[in-house]
Amino acid sequence: MKVEKTLSSLVLVDSDMRIIPEVLNFTDMLKQKGMSPNTVRGYLNDLKAFYMWLDHEGLLFYEVKAKHIPSFIEFIDGRSGSGRVSPPTLSRYLATLSSFYRYFGAIGGYVEESPVIKVEGYRPFQRRGYFRHITNNWDKNLHNYFKRKHKKKSDRKRLFPDVVTKCYETIESLWNENESLKFRNRLMFKLLYETGYRVSELLHLKIDDFDYPDPTEKTGKIYLIERDTEPPDRQLKTGERTTPVSSKLLQELDDYILYHRPEKEGINYIFVSHSKANLGEAIGRATVEGILKEIELASELRFIRLTPHALRHTHASELQDLGVDVNIIKDRLGHSSIESTAKYAKPSIETLIKAHERYLKSKEGMMFDG
């Protein structure tokens, strides 16, 4: 069971390389709803684990009932490597199955009810580690009773200034003997950190997609331009937008293209491979994520996973700390709603402390001040 890439889409295939038809129908629906290739891939990866479990149990997808779900949870717990998947990971699997069964329930003829969502009044036998959780997925009378409790943790996505400095220092040491490769990797890190771009947007950029650097100006612009022929990993998720950046960043982009970037005919993407085997070829998502992982390990970061998403989260949170209007942050990140932006932009504890200190100062001299 694996996820395969065809000319036009991603599909789930079995051990005989046969496409799973019901999964194909489901993912076609997701694409029609406008979901990005990366989101569809996430659904497919979850369904891959589900279909591996179905094979193990000898079940067909429409035969699955609520009584079978604890067995599926034990299956994914066993594959986790730590003996138990995290509450957010379990919630993601359950959400995927809810959407999958909801789709087939809506079109009729396959399933009568979802195995992970039950009607009000159903009393499952006690399962240690699970609890009934109200969900708004279908209506107020439906409950998900498999969701695992999630303890609040500190923000593990955001990088604070000392960590960012450490990452830059690590880049200098890791690729010290290859100036061009060091320049590229530092520039990719900086671009993600200073723009909040998605990795697909970074890979989407071509050599004409930014202003010529003007030393008399403090800022310039990078342009995310919609192109119909882009492969899935380079497509824009939320359409075109213009991003103001520092003139220094534009100068570094220009310097990379002029002095460090290997050239190959027909390749116009800014970021390309520096390896002899693929010199000048456009790099992919795995390369960017691998470089960040290398930086993370060499920097010995604790409680932080260095990913493109973490840098995007950091950029949004730093703007929030500066008091930038949430609508501006929304447009800069390319979000379609304020709610999405609110999930990214989190004020630091230092900002919360300073805000409370200002509040206390405003109360000075009052009769009942604290």
Side-chain angles (χ1 to χ4, degrees), residues 237-254:
K237 184 176 181 180
T238 50
E240 296 187 346
R241 70 180 188 276
T242 299
T243 309
V245 297
S246 69
S247 291
K248 183 178 180 181
L249 181 56
L250 295 180
Q251 186 63 61
E252 290 181 36
L253 281 166
D254 200 50

Side-chain angles (χ1 to χ4, degrees), residues 195 241-244 315-316 319-320 323-335 338 341 345:
T195 62
R241 70 180 188 276
T242 299
T243 309
H315 183 70
L319 292 175
Q320 173 82 13
V324 175
D325 186 274
V326 69
N327 287 290
I328 294 175
I329 302 175
K330 166 183 165 292
D331 289 346
R332 187 167 178 85
L333 295 184
H335 283 151
I338 292 292
T341 307

Side-chain angles (χ1 to χ4, degrees), residues 106 138 166 262 292 298 354:
W138 288 5
K166 178 66 175 175
L292 294 180
K354 288 177 182 177

Side-chain angles (χ1 to χ4, degrees), residues 42-50 72-73 75-77 79-80 85-101 116 144:
Y43 277 99
L44 282 172
N45 285 331
D46 289 347
L47 289 172
K48 171 186 169 184
F50 181 62
F72 171 63
I73 294 172
F75 179 78
I76 58 175
D77 278 343
R79 297 177 69 238
S80 69
V85 297
S86 68
T89 299
L90 177 59
S91 294
R92 192 196 70 226
Y93 275 111
L94 295 177
T96 295
L97 293 185
S98 294
S99 298
F100 183 64
Y101 279 97
V116 292
N144 180 337

